[in-house]
Amino acid sequence: MESCNCVEPQWPADELLMKYQYLSDFFIALAYFSIPLELIYFVKKSAVFPYRWVLVQFGAFIVLCGATHLINLWTFAIHSRTVAYVMTIAKVLTAAVSCITALMLVHIIPDLLSVKTRELFLKNKAAELDREMGLIRTQEETGRHCALWMPTRSGLELQLSYTLRQQQNPVGYTVPIHLPVINRVFSSNRALKISPNSPVARIRPLAGKYIPGEVVAVRVPLLHLSNFQINDWPELSTKRYALMVLMLPSDSARQWHVHELELVEVVADQVAVALSHAAILEESMRARDLLMEQNVALDLARREAETAIRARNDFLAVMNHEMRTPMHAIIALSSLLQETELTPEQRLMVETIMKSSNLLATLINDVLDLSRLEDGSFQLNIATFNLHAVFREVLNLIKPVASVKKLLITLNLAPDLPEYAVGDEKRLMQVILNVVGNAVKFSKEGGISITAFVAKAEYLREARPPEFIPVPSDNHFYLRVQVRDSGSGINPQDIPKLFTKFAHNQSLATRNSGGSGLGLAICKRFVTLMDGHIWIESEGIGKGCTATFIVGLGIPEKLNESKFPVLPRGSSNHVLANFSGLKVLVMDDNGVGRAATKGLLLHLGCDVTTVSSGDELLHAVSQEHKVVLMDICTPGIDSYEVAVQIHRLYSQHHERPLLVAITGSTDKVTKENCMRVGMDGVIQKPVSLDKMRNVLSELLECGHQMSSLARV
Amino acid sequence: MDVGLMQMQRRLAEYTSALFKEGILDSQYVQLQELQDESNPDFVVEVVSLFFTDSEKLLNDLSRDLAQQNVDFKRVDAHVHQLKGSSSSIGAERVKNACIVFRNFCQEKNIPGCLRCLQQIKQEFLLVKSKLETLFKLEQQVVAAGGSIPTSGSLPTVQQPIL
């Protein structure tokens, strides 16, 4: 045996056991070496690991353990002494490191454990906070509140009319208006803090543990339309206010700040405006509906009235015609009767019949006139006429009656009263005649004085009634006529009734006067239409009376206006009875017509030449002929052309014969055409002797272009 | 006064008023009567005779014109116009009215209507002619007996109420 420094194992080499041990050691070593590797890898990975030193220690410990086990592998077989030495060193080191590590761990492990607990603690805290947050939020919501209280109709209570959440409070809940807290709020225009316990703030049942939040109340003025001025902030002159209450949530730590209060005030003003707008809108819609209804009703009423008026007019027109026809027969036949041989008795009877039928005719005319006057369809026939002549005519008409009654009639026309005036001659005469007629009727003795003058401003002011102040101007003047009589007079109490229709003065003076009672009513209507006024004064029974009226008349323009004025009736003293030697030229293509016109003119004494065509006329006309009469409805002959030719032939006015057209048509066009070609006059067929006479005399008197339109 | 004359005058008056009442004559005739005086004693008769001659000629022309193949309505109208003028000048009212109707048909160019109207006019014309001839005979009788023909209008103008 060689002596080797080998060490012999302790135990005998048991094959199987030895194998297992060998393997286990191998694996242990492997594991022990990989653990530190893993540790290094993961520590490198994590950024934060406070215990590096511990790891190093632990790593060393493991590595050495692994080394020990690894070396142990060699000790299973016979091994040299070197291996044994290495093994021993390794084991010693391992022991040392392990002891140090064990000691270290005693300090470290409690720390690690405490980290874990802290983490757990924080998690719990977070969960708790979440819960509390939820609670607080719900509390916030339930606590915040806004309510609007409106005054009721009676004004004695405030009614809850709006809340933020309707289902919580019944709308209609009321509170008396005169609580001190409410008065305090209403008397200031600022938002004020009020106690949460006041009835306006306590609108939901309080749960015990909640402390109500702060409450602010502000008044909201209820404005009317009249409060709004243009460009102006609405004036707070209203007395009615609504109350807006804002509540902070209960348990809230929030408080109302000053700027928040200001915000609330501004909002309250806007709310006021919005409320007013809504109220105004409602009003206006209601008013519009009402107006529409009224409109419909008015329309219906108007249509009914129109129908009624039309029906009445139709009736009147028909009745008028129907009444006139038999009347004409009566009048015609009774005048015929008068012409025959009658006994005095019979004559008297016939005269009575005539007078009565005349009265009836007057009545019918009056009624028709009055009805036309009343419904406004009446129009005056305005034309130029001779004013002086009107008065003279009235005088002439009334003289016979007056002389029978032995009454003295005096007529005074003021010197400045114009001779010609523009107005409705017929109606003016009717008025004067009626007034004078009444004066004569009611006077048994004495006299009637008629004065007419131009009303000056001073006179006008004293005219009754005082609100009637006519103003004369450049082209018209006011005629004032006063008729004074010394008759039976009128009781001053009866004076207002005089002008009402059909009202009859029951005094015995009227016993024989007859009349319909319409006369004065019609006069009044006419006078009013002529822009005037009529009134009667009397000092009493037996003291006579004075009737006065003022009417407006126009002043006629200069004589070269090319209008055809109406022939004045009363100019009979101007009419030449005999036109002897007047040379007249007649043109008519109809033989019979020619003969008729010639006969007419011959009767008047003229020297007549007749022609039957325009050419003949132009040949025959000469300066000797003073008048040319042309029938202008002859077809085929352009009479207008002839007239133009004559104008051309005679350029000087005083040389040219007067041109007169005879026509059967009544329309305006013909007249206008005649004027256009320069005719001096127009006569309408059928031509009567009087018509011809009047036309000729007018023509010859007034000269060219101022000739008459005989439209009798 | 001679009873016979009075009777004649009465008969004349009755006859005249009947003419007016029946509408055969109108107020224009009265105007013509007024034109008759010493210087012109037969004025009315002259004018009326002129009317008769003229109208007969016109009526013949009208008959001829309407019988044509192509009726010249302008001519027809012109004739009727003449006739209307003449009849209105002497106061033959019915003739005048018939002429007016005729003219309407003429404007419508209604030949059967025109023919009917022409018949009507002829009838009226003959009527007025015979009546006037009778009237003139009566007047001659009265004048021969020494009386005068009443010239104040047989048809009074209706008494209009004062203005």
Side-chain angles (χ1 to χ4, degrees):
Chain A
M1 210 121 68
E2 283 162 42
S3 146
C4 63
N5 262 358
C6 309
V7 174
E8 279 192 5
Q10 318 288 64
W11 298 285
D14 202 314
E15 289 296 327
L16 197 64
L17 285 169
M18 287 265 285
K19 263 208 183 89
Y20 278 120
Q21 278 189 7
Y22 191 84
L23 273 168
S24 319
D25 274 333
F26 177 70
F27 277 114
I28 288 167
L30 201 61
Y32 276 22
F33 279 131
S34 59
I35 286 172
L37 287 172
E38 285 170 8
L39 273 172
I40 289 168
Y41 175 70
F42 282 113
V43 168
K44 274 241 166 67
K45 264 272 169 105
S46 88
V48 180
F49 196 75
Y51 304 108
R52 246 174 231 251
W53 178 240
V54 173
L55 263 179
V56 167
Q57 254 182 315
F58 197 64
F61 160 67
I62 292 285
V63 163
L64 281 169
C65 277
T68 312
H69 279 284
L70 190 66
I71 297 169
N72 213 19
L73 284 178
W74 273 271
T75 58
F76 284 113
I78 300 196
H79 53 280
S80 66
R81 195 146 297 259
T82 346
V83 170
Y85 280 138
V86 169
M87 184 77 198
T88 316
I89 294 170
K91 273 198 176 152
V92 166
L93 277 172
T94 310
V97 173
S98 320
C99 292
I100 297 171
T101 311
L103 285 167
M104 276 269 147
L105 278 174
V106 171
H107 293 287
I108 290 171
I109 288 177
D111 271 347
L112 280 172
L113 280 177
S114 80
V115 161
K116 211 52 191 177
T117 29
R118 220 175 290 153
E119 194 192 310
L120 205 64
F121 177 70
L122 278 171
K123 238 191 240 159
N124 279 344
K125 247 335 193 203
E128 210 181 288
L129 275 170
D130 269 337
R131 264 203 310 276
E132 270 185 26
M133 275 295 290
L135 257 173
I136 288 172
R137 214 176 281 130
T138 44
Q139 264 179 29
E140 283 275 309
E141 283 180 5
T142 52
R144 184 197 328 258
H145 213 81
C146 169
L148 188 66
W149 300 79
M150 299 279 288
T152 56
R153 278 209 189 282
S154 61
L156 296 172
E157 293 181 323
L158 279 180
Q159 191 182 48
L160 182 63
S161 58
Y162 177 71
T163 58
L164 201 54
R165 258 185 303 279
Q166 298 288 18
Q167 65 272 24
Q168 279 208 344
N169 311 105
V171 172
Y173 179 59
T174 57
V175 154
I177 206 172
H178 291 298
L179 295 176
V181 58
I182 297 179
N183 282 337
R184 191 163 61 90
V185 175
F186 278 178
S187 54
S188 154
N189 64 350
R190 317 218 41 160
L192 301 171
K193 295 194 188 140
I194 62 175
S195 152
N197 291 324
S198 58
V200 288
R202 209 161 7 106
I203 53 177
R204 58 186 185 90
L206 272 184
K209 52 183 169 148
Y210 286 114
I211 306 165
E214 286 202 341
V215 181
V216 155
V218 65
R219 72 175 188 187
V220 178
L222 293 175
L223 302 167
H224 288 286
L225 183 58
S226 50
N227 295 120
F228 282 88
Q229 318 280 336
I230 304 174
N231 295 331
D232 234 357
W233 200 241
E235 314 218 320
L236 300 182
S237 56
T238 168
K239 290 285 177 292
R240 288 175 83 220
Y241 299 105
L243 192 69
M244 193 160 74
V245 179
L246 299 159
M247 285 160 270
L248 284 180
S250 333
D251 287 355
S252 160
R254 256 185 70 194
Q255 288 206 325
W256 286 102
H257 298 124
V258 170
H259 65 268
E260 286 170 342
L261 290 183
E262 284 172 0
L263 208 66
V264 166
E265 284 156 24
V266 170
V267 167
D269 279 330
Q270 292 303 316
V271 168
V273 171
L275 283 174
S276 323
H277 281 180
I280 290 170
L281 203 66
E282 210 184 287
E283 267 296 321
S284 71
M285 302 226 35
R286 233 176 321 124
R288 189 198 61 171
D289 286 336
L290 194 64
L291 275 174
M292 273 179 42
E293 266 176 40
Q294 281 181 345
N295 246 8
V296 169
L298 276 172
D299 206 33
L300 188 66
R302 181 181 58 92
R303 262 181 284 131
E304 279 178 8
E306 275 179 8
T307 325
I309 287 180
R310 249 179 296 135
R312 187 201 60 180
N313 283 348
D314 289 342
F315 167 75
L316 276 174
V318 165
M319 282 312 293
N320 180 50
H321 175 73
E322 298 301 319
M323 285 196 280
R324 280 199 214 257
T325 316
M327 264 220 344
H328 281 182
I330 297 174
I331 292 176
L333 292 175
S334 35
S335 29
L336 250 185
L337 199 54
Q338 271 187 328
E339 299 292 321
T340 63
E341 287 283 330
L342 297 167
T343 69
E345 256 174 26
Q346 288 173 330
R347 193 160 286 277
L348 201 62
M349 286 190 248
V350 171
E351 273 170 12
T352 318
I353 294 175
M354 283 231 58
K355 243 195 299 206
S356 313
S357 38
N358 277 335
L359 274 171
L360 195 58
T362 317
L363 181 64
I364 292 175
N365 280 347
D366 279 356
V367 168
L368 192 65
D369 262 351
L370 195 63
S371 63
R372 271 193 297 144
L373 281 171
E374 285 193 330
D375 66 40
S377 62
F378 186 84
Q379 277 177 329
L380 295 172
N381 296 332
I382 307 288
T384 310
F385 63 94
N386 189 327
L387 192 57
H388 289 223
V390 165
F391 283 103
R392 281 198 291 269
E393 177 98 5
V394 168
L395 209 61
N396 288 338
L397 286 167
I398 211 74
K399 263 210 174 88
V401 183
S403 59
V404 162
K405 284 180 129 184
K406 301 215 180 8
L407 297 166
L408 176 68
I409 309 220
T410 46
L411 172 65
N412 280 324
L413 297 176
D416 64 347
L417 194 69
E419 191 172 341
Y420 284 93
V422 178
D424 189 336
E425 182 194 5
K426 176 172 163 189
R427 269 66 194 231
L428 180 64
M429 191 150 7
Q430 199 169 350
V431 169
I432 303 175
L433 202 57
N434 197 303
V435 170
V436 173
N438 277 345
V440 168
K441 227 192 281 178
F442 290 102
S443 304
K444 291 214 189 62
E445 58 187 9
I448 318 264
S449 85
I450 311 172
T451 32
F453 47 89
V454 174
K456 305 277 191 301
E458 318 81 70
Y459 276 116
L460 301 179
R461 252 182 279 288
E462 70 176 43
R464 277 198 268 132
E467 58 265 17
F468 173 69
I469 303 181
V471 178
S473 73
D474 270 347
N475 52 7
H476 47 283
F477 69 98
Y478 285 89
L479 167 72
R480 182 180 164 128
V481 175
Q482 213 159 317
V483 177
R484 200 162 296 164
D485 74 56
S486 54
S488 50
I490 303 172
N491 197 334
Q493 290 164 332
D494 291 334
I495 289 186
K497 281 193 275 165
L498 282 173
F499 291 101
T500 45
K501 350 179 240 189
F502 305 118
H504 228 74
N505 205 342
Q506 297 299 329
S507 69
L508 25 83
T510 64
R511 189 167 47 90
N512 282 331
S513 58
S516 60
L518 280 179
L520 277 177
I522 295 186
C523 283
K524 182 164 180 160
R525 293 281 195 302
F526 282 149
V527 166
T528 316
L529 272 175
M530 292 193 217
D531 196 27
H533 193 72
I534 180 170
W535 67 95
I536 293 188
E537 292 156 309
S538 172
E539 286 168 34
I541 303 280
K543 300 222 176 67
C545 78
T546 308
T548 322
F549 68 87
I550 300 182
V551 289
L553 295 170
I555 299 176
E557 292 170 20
K558 299 286 171 267
L559 292 185
N560 25 351
E561 76 172 10
S562 56
K563 279 218 301 211
F564 293 147
V566 178
L567 186 72
R569 295 289 171 105
S571 58
S572 43
N573 44 347
H574 295 292
V575 172
L576 301 173
N578 196 322
F579 299 94
S580 59
L582 181 72
K583 271 192 161 263
V584 180
L585 194 52
V586 174
M587 183 198 87
D588 190 340
D589 70 332
N590 186 311
V592 178
R594 255 202 321 273
T597 316
K598 179 169 175 176
L600 234 150
L601 291 165
L602 283 176
H603 191 79
L604 291 172
C606 308
D607 181 355
V608 186
T609 324
T610 57
V611 293
S612 52
S613 76
D615 291 327
E616 280 182 38
L617 178 69
L618 288 170
H619 279 187
V621 77
S622 72
Q623 281 198 359
E624 291 179 340
H625 294 105
K626 285 279 179 302
V627 183
V628 171
L629 285 156
M630 288 189 269
D631 185 320
I632 59 169
C633 33
T634 49
I637 298 181
D638 191 355
S639 322
Y640 299 125
E641 186 55 39
V642 173
V644 172
Q645 290 277 41
I646 293 186
H647 267 277
R648 232 177 272 152
L649 282 176
Y650 299 92
S651 48
Q652 301 289 342
H653 269 197
H654 59 269
E655 291 173 353
R656 178 168 65 80
L658 296 164
L659 295 168
V660 181
I662 304 179
T663 171
S665 78
T666 51
D667 62 29
K668 271 197 178 165
V669 180
T670 320
K671 288 192 196 95
E672 280 166 11
N673 287 340
C674 292
M675 269 168 62
R676 215 171 17 93
V677 298
M679 298 274 193
D680 297 301
V682 177
I683 302 182
Q684 257 175 21
K685 285 203 268 207
V687 188
S688 72
L689 194 60
D690 288 323
K691 217 190 279 191
M692 184 65 88
R693 207 203 314 263
N694 289 335
V695 170
L696 283 179
S697 62
E698 250 318 276
L699 265 182
L700 293 170
E701 208 182 275
C702 307
H704 298 254
Q705 281 286 319
M706 181 43 190
S707 41
S708 53
L709 175 66
R711 214 178 4 155
V712 178
Chain B
M1 236 193 186
D2 189 2
V3 176
L5 178 61
M6 264 174 56
Q7 272 183 342
M8 271 196 283
Q9 279 180 327
R10 192 163 46 231
R11 219 175 329 132
L12 179 61
E14 280 170 7
Y15 194 78
T16 320
S17 65
L19 284 181
F20 284 110
K21 228 185 337 203
E22 289 168 30
I24 300 180
L25 292 179
D26 66 20
S27 51
Q28 192 61 22
Y29 185 77
V30 177
Q31 294 290 335
L32 284 184
Q33 283 190 319
E34 284 187 18
L35 299 176
Q36 191 161 287
D37 54 20
E38 299 78 38
S39 58
N40 224 342
D42 295 317
F43 179 65
V44 179
V45 178
E46 278 172 7
V47 175
V48 172
S49 313
L50 190 59
F51 168 68
F52 288 155
T53 353
D54 256 358
S55 309
E56 272 163 7
K57 187 160 124 8
L58 281 170
L59 286 170
N60 287 337
D61 285 340
L62 275 170
S63 310
R64 203 187 48 238
D65 284 336
L66 280 176
Q68 300 278 349
Q69 276 285 39
N70 298 336
V71 178
D72 183 353
F73 282 101
K74 273 214 175 59
R75 261 174 72 99
V76 170
D77 190 64
H79 286 319
V80 181
H81 184 84
Q82 285 270 7
L83 190 57
K84 176 170 155 246
S86 320
S87 53
S88 68
S89 294
I90 70 149
E93 192 178 348
R94 284 203 199 172
V95 180
K96 181 186 79 180
N97 290 340
C99 288
I100 296 174
V101 179
F102 194 118
R103 286 192 88 190
N104 288 341
F105 280 123
C106 213
Q107 277 174 351
E108 293 169 19
K109 300 205 196 291
N110 180 347
I111 296 190
C114 287
L115 285 170
R116 267 204 313 275
C117 263
L118 184 59
Q119 274 306 102
Q120 178 85 1
I121 294 179
K122 279 190 181 159
Q123 270 178 331
E124 294 295 343
F125 173 69
L126 288 170
L127 178 66
V128 79
K129 181 166 175 196
S130 76
K131 292 274 182 185
L132 279 172
E133 280 169 355
T134 319
L135 186 69
F136 292 148
K137 264 210 273 289
L138 278 175
E139 283 181 354
Q140 274 173 354
Q141 283 176 353
V142 167
V143 171
S148 59
I149 307 165
T151 52
S152 60
S154 309
L155 183 72
T157 48
V158 172
Q159 292 271 14
Q160 290 290 333
I162 297 174
L163 308 164

